[in-house]
Amino acid sequence: MLMYRVFSKPQKFSVYIRQIIFEINNIGISSLPIIAIISVFMGGIITIQAAFGFNSPWVPLYAVGFTTRESILLEFSPTIVCLILAGKVGSNIASEIGAMRITEQIDALEIMGINSAGYLIFPKIAGAVFIFPFLIAISMFLGIWGGYVMGVSAGACTSYEYIYGIQAFFEPWKLYYSFTKVVVFAFIITSVSSYYGYHTRGGALEVGKSSTDAVVYSSILILLFALILTNLFLNH
Amino acid sequence: MIEIKNINKTFGDRHVVKNVSFKFLQGKTNLIIGESGCGKTTILKLMVGLHNVDSGSVFYGDQDFPKLDHQGQQEVRKQIGMLFQGGALFDSQTLEENVRFPLDMFTDLSKEEKIERVNFCLQKVKLEGKNLLYPAELSGGMKKRAALARAIANNPKYLFCDEPNSGLDPKTSIVIDELINDLTAELNITTIIVTHDMNSVIEIGDNILFIHKGENWWTGDKSQILNTDNKELYDFVFASKFLKTVFKKS
């Protein structure tokens, strides 16, 4: 029922477009610093761990670059970064909408004749579904770059081996798999968090509870859908 | 005019509103008064559709609001302005954006025309020049006035006010009361105020509905209320010993 109201025809397109742009900035651009920091460091850590694990004459050193790329492209950026975003963005959305509910701001929207669910939730979903793939693409790039900088400077592998490794056996359809996951996760994070925020009743305590529930259930659903999508795409 | 007919509302096993009927007059300040918890805010919320009535009718002109579909209710609501107890201003928007919001959503006015209307409304509530302040930067009285400016921005036919004086000092309360009363007469709108503030009742009560234990207990106006022989109403009006003494002397 809530989703029906969210996706019903917008009352004024220009206002919705403005809101979507606002949410792209609010949800997406403001998350860039945390994503960049985590991606660079995780890329470095994966590279060094891979080099440590492959410390054998039977495994070529370009496997370090290969492993880093596969880990980042397939799992770290699409899934782990989205779990981090579920914490940051999900709690933000649930507490924002929850606070609006308990301070009667949502009632005020309804009294004005505005479809509050559509006005508040649709721009968040649309904004996240649009911007998350870009964020994750940046995360992938920075993760692989971080792996290169830290791996080479730590002596885990040479520059040539790393670059050769990240290009080796590349299958472009894996990007399709990764970005499909990202779009699904973006929808899960925003819709689940909005749901918990929108149905908040009570006071500040309940806003906190909604925020926690939003993160917990978003995370569980992300992992569940990661499993389903991985099975669908890779298990053949 | 708005007319409620035999409305009932139950929450669980609590019958909160019992068969209440009343006519709210256009161009008048209509008051719903009663003790805390008597059901007056529930009546207000039933009238605007924030709660659904169990039975009965709420007529806006000749339209029975509870029987309208969602789209029909949205259309009626576009003619409603509401002042919430806490103001319910949008925290993330400036005062100007708050007041402009209904205009952005429902009119095709140019940007200049919207700004002109916003300034007119802010001037009406004596907040001119405060356009760029955020709700967090406003005092309690200013928030109420700002919310009132937003409520009248789109030229409503009906203005609902839920406890407009709660949390305000007596002087600011009178300012808010006078503002609502003046706007009602000037714009010829139907104003419904939920209050238990006796100053408001005596100052601006053109048409009063007294609710006691969820029932329509008494109706009248400010001139009649001070001479009432209705025991429950008398106890409510003269709860203050000071007021009782002053009126006995006069």
Side-chain angles (χ1 to χ4, degrees), chain B residues 11 13 39 51 60 68 76 82 102 137 160 175 195 216 222:
Chain B
F11 292 110
D13 56 355
H51 293 321
Y60 285 80
L68 295 172
V76 171
M82 183 151 174
E137 298 172 286
F160 290 85
V175 170
T195 186
N216 178 345
K222 62 188 172 191

Side-chain angles (χ1 to χ4, degrees), chain B residues 41-64:
Chain B
T41 297
T42 305
I43 292 174
L44 191 82
K45 290 188 173 177
L46 291 171
M47 290 174 73
V48 295
L50 287 177
H51 293 321
N52 295 322
V53 291
D54 292 343
S55 63
S57 303
V58 179
F59 284 101
Y60 285 80
D62 57 357
Q63 290 182 299
D64 189 359

Side-chain angles (χ1 to χ4, degrees), chain A residues 81-107:
Chain A
V81 170
C82 279
L83 281 172
I84 291 161
L85 286 172
K88 183 188 177 291
V89 175
S91 62
N92 178 285
I93 289 173
S95 53
E96 179 194 328
I97 297 179
M100 287 186 78
R101 169 62 77 190
I102 65 161
T103 55
E104 296 182 310
Q105 292 176 50
I106 292 179
D107 288 345

